[in-house]
Amino acid sequence: MLKGWNGFLSLVPRNGERMDYFNLVDYLYGPLAFVIIVIIARVRKYRRIKTEPEFKYYTKGLYVKLVGGLALCLIYTLYYGGGDTVNYMSDSLCMLRLLFDNPSGFFQIMKEGVNFNNLYYFTDETGYPIYYKDPPTFYVVRVIVPFALLGAGSFIVTTLLVATFSYAGIWKLYRLFVMEYPLLKKEMAIAILFIPSVFFWGSGVMKDTITLSCIGYYTYSFYWIFIKKKYNIGNFVAIFISTFLILMIKPYIVFALLPGSLLWFVNVNIGNIKNTVIRFMVGPFLFSIAMGGGYLLLISMSNLLGGYSVENVLEKAVITNNDLKADYYGGNSFDIGDFEPTVPSMLAKAPVAIVAAIFRPYLWEARNIVMLISGFESVFLILITLRVLWRLRLYGVFPMAVKSPLLTFSLIFSLFFAFSVGISTSNFGSLVRYRIPVLPFYMASLFIMEYYFRNKQDEIEAAKFVEPKQKELTE
């Protein structure tokens, strides 16, 4: 049994040898795994679609997720000849070899992570992990290992399994928006399931796949626990695990999730106050308490956030931004201007940082096919944004956000996240990947605002029709 598994794991590079990305296992097990996943998905769809019409999009969303994961895998292996996803897979295979060579060492590293004190468990036979110096990055490897084990060391099958399991979080996010806006099933599917760069960068063996799925789980569970007050044990487990994984892999996401979550919670509770005067008086107080409590919570989490603690994150943003503008990135970068690691200096750059994160690269800034796809997405987002702003005259956005707590959360999260990405990322290759959590929430927000606008216009037209009739009856 173990010899058979070691044969499957022959992909691991040893002593600097080039990695052979695919072998017979990929070609035989890959199509079989794909068929099994599709069959299970279709069975689930047809069991649920009669009572839950949104399942019309369930398999379609999964298909693009699978295609996105495979495309990422093939482009990085056959075109780029390496990269993050290849390194994650390589390290996962090192871990699997360690499992069969030294089980106790494997479980210790799975529990504690790899460091200089336990690196000796790896040998020339197992191969040496690439990311042993980076705990958050190696945590991704620890998450991927079970999928690599189920995939028998196949890069393709592991990618399919990661894409399938991560889709659950995306699907929950879609269902949440549909529960709140049942007439926008198609629009929410476009925003959450079918944005090309999201299902491309968010479906492979990558950090972004895991954290994007966790954001979906977090939002869905937060909704049921704190908004609907349905205290299901599954939702508590989901919000705990998703938050924990976010903190372990990309702690800075917390800085975007926390303000939106607090405002979502406060907005819902203010809406429950019937008396308008009391609601007007209590609202600012509750918002202040929420934001102050959120700041104190971030301060208390400094040890857990590590390099992303409040006192370090400003300096880190400046260093990262300057590094990504360096010449060795081949000119594939942009510049929002210099800034200091202080709150006023960074806030002064907020508008240009948010615009860059959401709307760039522009079409003329694209240097390859991946950038070109992102460029067309940017054109689409710019056109929809301008149409919404024109219709609502900008000031109409705020009453709508207050009216819809979910819209409040979506806008706050997308803008905070866009700011954090835009202020710390000046390389297009990194930007199109880091920003993917922004796009579903931002585009969903645009569709929701258009929905409210259409409803308001319908009310105006109905009033024009009713008023003359009432006048005739009065006369």
Side-chain angles (χ1 to χ4, degrees):
M1 173 71 176
L2 296 187
K3 289 182 179 179
W5 274 95
N6 276 324
F8 291 150
L9 303 178
S10 60
L11 297 176
V12 179
R14 302 182 189 180
N15 299 323
E17 296 176 2
R18 183 184 179 278
M19 182 177 183
D20 293 324
Y21 301 117
F22 308 116
N23 62 13
L24 188 61
V25 182
D26 293 274
Y27 304 133
L28 295 179
Y29 191 8
L32 177 62
F34 186 87
V35 170
I36 292 172
I37 290 169
V38 169
I39 290 174
I40 293 173
R42 288 180 67 85
V43 168
R44 188 180 185 212
K45 170 186 173 180
Y46 288 114
R47 283 182 176 177
R48 305 286 291 273
I49 196 169
K50 290 182 179 179
T51 56
E52 299 163 280
E54 65 270 20
F55 268 82
K56 169 186 177 181
Y57 295 103
Y58 179 74
T59 51
K60 296 176 183 177
L62 178 60
Y63 295 158
V64 298
K65 188 85 169 166
L66 295 174
V67 170
L70 289 175
L72 182 76
C73 174
L74 294 175
I75 288 174
Y76 267 80
T77 53
L78 303 180
Y79 181 72
Y80 291 124
D84 290 347
T85 185
V86 175
N87 295 338
Y88 288 131
M89 191 65 202
S90 175
D91 280 12
S92 298
L93 294 174
C94 289
M95 288 293 293
L96 290 186
R97 282 195 179 277
L98 180 62
L99 170 63
F100 297 112
D101 287 354
N102 186 344
S104 62
F106 168 84
F107 287 109
Q108 181 178 339
I109 290 177
M110 284 294 288
K111 179 182 177 182
E112 301 175 359
V114 66
N115 52 58
F116 288 106
N117 295 324
N118 57 27
L119 187 61
Y120 66 87
Y121 284 125
F122 295 98
T123 65
D124 289 342
E125 290 300 313
T126 62
Y128 295 90
I130 298 168
Y131 290 127
Y132 71 93
K133 293 182 180 180
D134 188 345
T137 303
F138 194 79
Y139 204 93
V140 177
V141 177
R142 293 156 70 185
V143 174
I144 297 299
V145 164
F147 299 106
L149 181 62
L150 289 173
S154 160
F155 200 168
I156 287 177
V157 178
T158 302
T159 298
L160 291 173
L161 292 175
V162 169
T164 301
F165 277 83
S166 65
Y167 180 61
I170 307 302
W171 180 249
K172 285 187 177 295
L173 183 64
Y174 170 70
R175 294 195 67 200
L176 164 58
F177 277 90
V178 169
M179 282 188 289
E180 287 289 293
Y181 299 97
L183 298 180
L184 299 180
K185 293 181 181 67
K186 180 180 178 180
E187 289 83 353
M188 293 301 113
I190 293 171
I192 298 169
L193 305 179
F194 300 135
I195 299 177
S197 62
V198 175
F199 66 72
F200 176 76
W201 293 109
S203 301
V205 181
M206 299 282 275
K207 277 184 179 181
D208 310 279
T209 303
I210 298 168
T211 53
L212 181 61
S213 182
C214 287
I215 291 171
Y217 270 112
Y218 169 91
T219 309
Y220 183 85
S221 302
F222 185 93
Y223 172 80
W224 282 110
I225 295 171
F226 295 102
I227 306 304
K228 291 298 184 182
K229 297 181 173 55
K230 302 290 184 182
Y231 304 117
N232 182 288
I233 186 64
N235 290 325
F236 280 104
V237 172
I239 199 170
F240 173 79
I241 293 176
S242 58
T243 305
F244 178 79
L245 288 175
I246 289 171
L247 288 171
M248 292 298 102
I249 297 172
K250 286 192 174 185
Y252 66 86
I253 294 177
V254 173
F255 287 93
L257 279 174
L258 191 57
S261 300
L262 292 172
L263 291 176
W264 190 6
F265 176 75
V266 169
N267 199 355
V268 167
N269 285 277
I270 290 175
N272 292 332
I273 300 174
K274 303 300 182 183
N275 189 295
T276 305
V277 176
I278 296 177
R279 187 165 64 240
F280 180 78
M281 294 174 61
V282 170
F285 174 74
L286 290 179
F287 277 117
S288 301
I289 292 294
M291 298 309 293
Y295 179 77
L296 293 176
L297 181 60
L298 287 175
I299 293 293
S300 66
M301 293 168 61
S302 291
N303 291 333
L304 188 58
L305 291 171
Y308 291 96
S309 60
V310 173
E311 59 268 23
N312 294 331
V313 72
L314 302 181
E315 186 71 35
K316 191 178 183 71
V318 175
I319 293 172
T320 304
N321 183 277
N322 291 334
D323 175 69
L324 290 173
K325 287 188 288 189
D327 292 337
Y328 49 76
Y329 284 100
N332 191 29
S333 61
F334 60 95
D335 191 357
I336 64 170
D338 297 327
F339 53 89
E340 300 296 324
T342 62
V343 172
S345 179
M346 287 188 170
L347 288 179
K349 293 293 182 181
V352 67
I354 291 171
V355 168
I358 297 176
F359 301 121
R360 296 180 78 172
Y362 304 127
L363 275 177
W364 58 87
E365 295 173 325
R367 298 289 184 271
N368 54 54
I369 186 63
V370 176
M371 294 298 108
L372 188 62
I373 292 172
S374 296
F376 280 114
E377 287 177 358
S378 297
V379 171
F380 182 68
L381 282 171
I382 290 171
L383 292 176
I384 296 182
T385 301
L386 291 176
R387 185 171 69 179
V388 169
L389 292 178
W390 173 259
R391 288 178 169 179
L392 300 181
R393 302 296 190 271
L394 185 59
Y395 56 82
V397 173
F398 301 103
M400 285 187 180
V402 173
K403 183 178 180 181
S404 169
L406 180 56
L407 177 58
T408 302
F409 171 79
S410 296
L411 283 174
I412 295 297
F413 171 74
S414 56
L415 294 178
F416 263 79
F417 199 94
F419 171 68
S420 66
V421 170
I423 203 73
S424 61
T425 307
S426 52
N427 176 268
F428 286 127
S430 301
L431 176 69
V432 297
R433 194 173 78 200
Y434 294 163
R435 73 170 183 176
I436 62 172
V438 172
L439 300 183
F441 287 94
Y442 182 74
M443 190 172 288
S445 299
L446 294 178
F447 285 137
I448 291 170
M449 287 188 282
E450 285 216 312
Y451 168 74
Y452 281 130
F453 175 80
R454 289 196 304 268
N455 280 357
K456 185 176 181 180
Q457 291 300 109
D458 290 342
E459 290 175 4
I460 293 172
E461 292 300 320
K464 288 179 181 178
F465 176 77
V466 170
E467 285 176 4
K469 292 291 184 183
Q470 290 178 337
K471 187 176 180 180
E472 289 177 10
L473 291 174
T474 304
E475 292 176 351

